[in-house]
Amino acid sequence: MARDPITPAALAARPMLFASGEQAYVARAVRRTRTTPDGADPAWADEVVAGLGPDERALCALSFAAGAPGLAHVVVGSEHALQRPDRDESVERTYDVTEFPTADEYAVMVATALERIAGGDLHKVVLGRCLDVLSDPPLVPAEIIDRLLTTRPGRYVFSVPLVPGVEGPPGADGTAPEDGPILVGASPELLVRRAGAEISCTPLAGSVPRSEDPDEDLRRAGELQQSAKDLAEHAFVVEAIVHALKDVCVEIEYPATPELLSTDTVWHLATPIHARLADPVDGPSALRLAQLLHPTPAVGGVPTAAANAVIADLEGDLRDWFAGCVGWVDRHGDGEFAITIRAAVMDGPRLRLFAGAGIVAGSDPAAEVRETGAKLATMARVTGLP
């Protein structure tokens, strides 16, 4: 498999790729697209994997909610070592930015969630807010990929169109869609990776904004590791993932206490989880594992049904593809999926950003406003906003 270096500027204007670290699988052509009205449908996932040829992968995106869409582009391509751009080639733009809900409205949402947690039926819920950015001239997806590789807010860089590709005639490659919404981002959070029988997950939950002052930055990191509120929030996520993995895995291992993981703007608590499939031959594919685990309490809450109801009530239809998952799977069932955070949906001149924060007993509305603001700032920078 080719691993020649490729710079983002050499990519198509609307690239299709999924990068893990410094290696990226870049699609050359779309052979077909498989969509479903319910991204949680296991039969659809099995059909996607069963239909893959020896040189094909499916680049997939799943929405946050059960009963919401899923999409899999069956593509051919190759792996490359991505190189960071040497300089910023962006053009000057004007921007019109709309924040919703506003910081004050979001604080009220958090306070409402805390009241429901105090009622005893809800333990944790993740609430989000958005930025809509209208740019003139419109941003180009490849330009966003350039900046994502410069700022690197997360290990998993992706660019996946949210509309079907154009299928070619029988026996010929098709093409990627030339317009329509496209999902781009750089997630720091691994939902699941399958390599043969080996399974890995790295959930993130509990975070604090970083500081430009080195001493203050280290103080915040240390404080996060000792925060009862953040450790409790993190434990909910780890317990839920381990519980789900027990249905299909053995030899599940993870450290007793979380580690620190940093991005350019945020410190996270992280727990690496490793396991083996109980049935290496007929066990679930990476896509089925993503369905099994998603949504974790890192983006939803505990209990799941109660948290999803609160999210629907307080957020409305903000999420769509945000806080879903994105990744790839091959015909053997191997693959890798990241949580769709530090992400944007681009559609013509409009770009929408989303960020969320976990709310548990003891959460402070003002602190959650700051946390979501720091996360939104990460992606706002890649649009060129100051």
Side-chain angles (χ1 to χ4, degrees), residues 280-299:
V281 177
D282 297 318
S285 68
L287 178 55
R288 282 288 291 114
L289 287 166
Q291 291 177 321
L292 176 69
L293 295 172
H294 181 71
T296 75
V299 291

Side-chain angles (χ1 to χ4, degrees), residues 100-280:
F100 63 98
T102 65
D104 288 343
E105 290 168 339
Y106 184 73
V108 172
M109 287 169 56
V110 173
T112 302
L114 287 170
E115 290 174 1
R116 299 190 186 183
I117 290 170
D121 295 330
L122 181 67
H123 303 303
K124 174 190 173 178
V125 64
V126 177
L127 295 177
R129 59 189 181 115
C130 289
L131 288 180
D132 261 3
V133 181
L134 282 173
S135 59
D136 183 24
L139 287 157
V140 178
E143 183 181 338
I144 298 296
I145 297 296
D146 270 10
R147 291 209 184 106
L148 287 172
L149 288 166
T150 301
T151 61
R152 207 63 186 209
R155 175 181 176 87
Y156 305 98
V157 176
F158 50 87
S159 177
V160 180
L162 296 175
V163 292
V166 179
E167 293 192 26
D173 290 338
T175 59
E178 295 181 359
D179 52 25
I182 184 168
L183 181 67
V184 298
S187 174
E189 184 167 3
L190 173 67
L191 176 62
V192 65
R193 177 189 302 116
R194 176 185 149 167
E198 301 296 327
I199 305 300
S200 302
C201 307
T202 308
L204 309 182
S207 58
V208 66
R210 299 194 63 180
S211 171
E212 294 182 0
D213 177 81
D215 292 336
E216 172 63 14
D217 194 46
L218 289 176
R219 188 196 68 78
R220 291 183 184 183
E223 195 172 74
L224 177 63
Q225 287 184 298
Q226 302 299 320
S227 166
K229 173 260 183 188
D230 290 289
L231 290 169
E233 179 186 343
H234 190 84
F236 282 134
V237 181
V238 174
E239 289 167 7
I241 290 176
V242 170
H243 178 76
L245 288 177
K246 285 180 178 178
D247 290 339
V248 294
C249 290
V250 295
E251 300 176 25
I252 303 172
E253 299 179 351
Y254 55 98
T257 57
E259 304 172 354
L260 282 172
L261 183 148
S262 65
T263 68
D264 57 337
T265 58
V266 180
W267 283 107
H268 296 277
L269 294 178
T271 293
I273 300 171
H274 301 283
R276 290 182 59 82
L277 285 176
D279 184 348

